[in-house]
Amino acid sequence: MIFGIGCDLCAISRMEKSLSGPHGAAFARRVFGPAERAALALGLSLKETQRLLAVGGCGALYPRVRRDAAVIFALNQKMSLLQAEELLSSLPERSLYAGEH
């Protein structure tokens, strides 16, 4: 079995346009993992996000992991999905768009 990690380059302005368009919800379902969408798009707190990850069978966010620390920061600052993506890109860390679907 071969495993791989996908990484896509995209223009934030195009993503924003797609998300705010008439098919934005369907587009978001295709490009964001369920936990990422729920946590950032719904404005969940860190505690609520950790609970969602546990219920979904995903690992908890761990602040000593750089990418997780960035996601925790984004949650605490109530960043949008696009703002969180820009933060991860600036570090550079794995994109939210490359999550498991």
Side-chain angles (χ1 to χ4, degrees):
M1 183 176 279
I2 298 174
F3 292 95
I5 297 174
C7 184
D8 298 325
L9 297 176
C10 63
I12 298 297
S13 60
R14 288 188 69 199
M15 295 294 292
E16 195 169 40
K17 182 179 177 184
S18 296
L19 287 167
S20 62
H23 305 290
F27 179 75
R29 283 191 300 275
R30 287 195 317 268
V31 297
F32 297 116
E36 295 164 337
R37 285 194 314 268
L40 291 165
L42 297 177
L44 299 180
S45 69
L46 177 57
K47 184 177 179 179
E48 293 166 330
T49 301
Q50 296 289 38
R51 176 73 179 131
L52 175 69
L53 291 169
V55 168
C58 301
L61 295 172
Y62 186 62
R64 291 190 179 199
V65 174
R66 185 175 159 161
R67 183 178 186 273
D68 288 0
V71 173
I72 290 169
F73 177 81
L75 289 166
N76 287 335
Q77 295 298 312
K78 304 289 185 199
M79 290 182 173
S80 69
L81 285 168
L82 294 175
Q83 290 169 324
E85 176 60 24
E86 288 173 351
L87 172 65
L88 290 170
S89 177
S90 73
L91 291 176
E93 286 293 329
R94 184 173 52 89
S95 169
L96 293 172
Y97 304 116
E100 294 181 4
H101 305 300

